[in-house]
């Protein structure tokens, strides 16, 4: 029970109650704003529509989310160490190349720590963007990433619909880029830089999760407009990423920042509200319709694709 309440009370988990609460509150406001609920109708029936929340895809997401959380808690542990190893290596490498770092201030003011926290989140976000790009562009990796796109309706639990190997690939690039940024910052700016945290998590990540994180995996449409959508990934932009429609394919790989998509040409900013059908787009959603299939189908398909290459 303690472990269960921790998922709701610790900001390190995406299921932290305030993250869910802000998204829920926003969903209610948006529903009222868009006048979806006619007078006398229950707003909640529009925030949690039966055709979405009772859909087999949503039911599977709720079950799979538990398994994914368990798997991640075991499989992703080594990648935490990876960040530290890369950071130490980066510092050692820079000292070899550019000489030993000359002293610097003995104590850093909080803006330095805040800048460090921002640089780390930016680098980690780029690692996630690059991993996501590779997962779409490399056919072998796409078999595993398809699991996330096989969701036919989006609910907050869809955020956990990832194959463990897909998760590990992302964690590897997060570790590499997080470590590179960490080591470089320590060498160039301040060796004892520390993350500014709220209950142990980077303050910027905390703010990101609080800012309607759970709406991206939902039917609720929230776009940030033409300008802000170039900097931050809006819920609408991620919903576009889940679309079956061809013009939407391979767009909006970003997690927190849309900057990478803007820079590398994969940005898609919706101009008006779009009606989106969610799924893979090649009709293979049915092959991902149970927990076992979510785990097995990518292994089967990637093995097949390797055999056909020979
Ligand atoms: Zn994707
Ligand atoms: Zn998604």
């Amino acid at each position: 029970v303690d472990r269960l309440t921790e998922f709701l009370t610790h900001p390190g988990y995406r299921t932290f109650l305030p993250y869910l609460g802000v998204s829920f509150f926003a969903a209610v406001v948006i529903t009222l704003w868009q006048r979806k609920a006619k007078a006398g109708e229950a707003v909640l029936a529009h925030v949690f529509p039966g055709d979405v929340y009772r859909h087999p895809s949503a039911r599977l997401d709720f079950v799979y989310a538990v398994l994914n959380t368990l798997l991640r808690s075991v499989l992703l542990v080594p990648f935490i160490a990876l960040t530290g190893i890369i950071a130490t290596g980066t510092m050692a490498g820079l000292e070899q190349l550019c000489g030993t770092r000359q002293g610097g201030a003995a104590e850093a003011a909080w803006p330095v720590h805040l800048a460090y926290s921002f640089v780390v989140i930016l680098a980690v976000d780029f690692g996630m963007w690059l991993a996501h790009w590779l997962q779409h562009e490399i056919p072998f990796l796409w078999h595993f990433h398809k699991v996330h796109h096989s969701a036919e309706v989006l609910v907050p639990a869809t955020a956990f619909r990832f194959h463990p190997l897909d998760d590990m690939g992302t964690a590897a690039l997060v570790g590499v880029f997080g470590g590179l940024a960490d080591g470089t910052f320590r060498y160039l700016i301040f060796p004892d830089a520390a993350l500014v945290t709220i209950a142990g998590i980077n303050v910027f990540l905390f703010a990101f999760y609080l800012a309607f994180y759970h709406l991206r995996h939902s039917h609720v449409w929230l776009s940030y407009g033409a300008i802000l959508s170039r900097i931050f990934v809006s819920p609408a932009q991620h919903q576009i990423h889940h679309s079956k429609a061809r013009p939407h394919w391979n767009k909006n790989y970003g997690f927190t920042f849309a900057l990478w998509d803007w820079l590398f040409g994969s940005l898609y900013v919706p101009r008006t509200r779009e009606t989106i059908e969610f799924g893979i787009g090649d009709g293979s959603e049915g092959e991902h319709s149970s927990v076992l299939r979510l785990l097995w189908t990518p292994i089967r398909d990637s093995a097949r694709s390797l055999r056909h290459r020979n």
Side-chain angles (χ1 to χ4, degrees), residues 152-223:
E152 293 172 273
V153 293
L154 298 185
V155 294
T158 311
F160 299 88
R161 185 194 272 239
F162 283 99
H163 195 277
L165 290 175
D166 203 36
D167 271 338
M168 287 167 83
T170 304
L173 286 190
V174 161
V176 168
F177 284 92
L180 282 172
D182 183 71
T184 308
F185 192 96
R186 284 178 195 285
Y187 178 80
L188 288 177
I189 317 278
F190 188 66
D192 294 323
L195 287 178
V196 179
T197 60
I198 292 181
I201 91 152
N202 190 321
V203 67
F204 292 106
L205 191 62
F206 181 85
F208 165 66
Y209 285 145
L210 210 53
F212 323 117
Y213 171 74
H214 289 290
L215 292 187
R216 60 177 52 200
H217 294 114
S218 84
H219 64 290
V220 178
W221 180 265
L222 174 61
S223 173

Side-chain angles (χ1 to χ4, degrees), residues 148 217 238 242:
H148 187 59
H217 294 114
H238 192 69
H242 277 273

Side-chain angles (χ1 to χ4, degrees), residues 11 14 17 35 51 54 66 102 106 130 138 145 155 167 192 194 216 218 286 288:
R14 286 173 289 171
L17 265 178
R35 290 175 221 242
D51 57 345
R54 281 196 290 269
V66 177
Q102 297 300 317
L130 185 61
I138 298 179
H145 187 62
V155 294
D167 271 338
D192 294 323
R216 60 177 52 200
S218 84
H288 301 82

Side-chain angles (χ1 to χ4, degrees), residues 16-196:
F16 181 48
L17 265 178
Y19 302 155
L20 291 164
V22 170
S23 286
F24 168 72
F25 183 71
V28 171
V29 171
I30 292 164
T31 302
L32 292 171
W33 183 265
Q34 293 172 343
R35 290 175 221 242
K36 282 226 142 193
K38 304 197 174 56
E41 266 187 325
V43 176
L44 279 187
H46 288 270
V47 173
F48 299 109
D51 57 345
V52 172
Y53 282 81
R54 281 196 290 269
H55 193 286
S57 169
R59 289 173 196 245
L60 176 56
D61 279 347
F62 289 115
V63 176
Y64 188 78
V66 177
L67 179 69
N68 177 264
T69 305
L70 281 171
L71 287 172
R72 285 169 75 108
S73 69
V74 178
L75 296 174
L76 300 192
V77 170
F79 295 97
I80 300 167
L82 177 71
T83 311
I85 293 166
I86 300 272
T88 313
T90 304
M91 284 180 77
L94 284 170
E95 290 201 344
Q96 283 279 323
L97 281 169
C98 318
T100 310
R101 209 186 154 277
Q102 297 300 317
E107 258 179 83
W110 66 266
V112 174
H113 295 304
L114 205 61
Y116 167 73
S117 309
F118 186 73
V119 165
V120 167
I121 201 95
L122 204 62
V124 161
D125 198 63
F126 177 72
M128 291 182 83
W129 182 90
L130 185 61
H132 198 179
W133 181 81
L134 292 168
Q135 286 152 1
H136 277 256
E137 297 293 329
I138 298 179
F140 181 81
L141 298 180
W142 170 241
H143 290 301
F144 293 91
H145 187 62
K146 255 187 188 177
V147 164
H148 187 59
H149 288 269
S150 65
E152 293 172 273
V153 293
L154 298 185
V155 294
T158 311
F160 299 88
R161 185 194 272 239
F162 283 99
H163 195 277
L165 290 175
D166 203 36
D167 271 338
M168 287 167 83
T170 304
L173 286 190
V174 161
V176 168
F177 284 92
L180 282 172
D182 183 71
T184 308
F185 192 96
R186 284 178 195 285
Y187 178 80
L188 288 177
I189 317 278
F190 188 66
D192 294 323
L195 287 178
V196 179

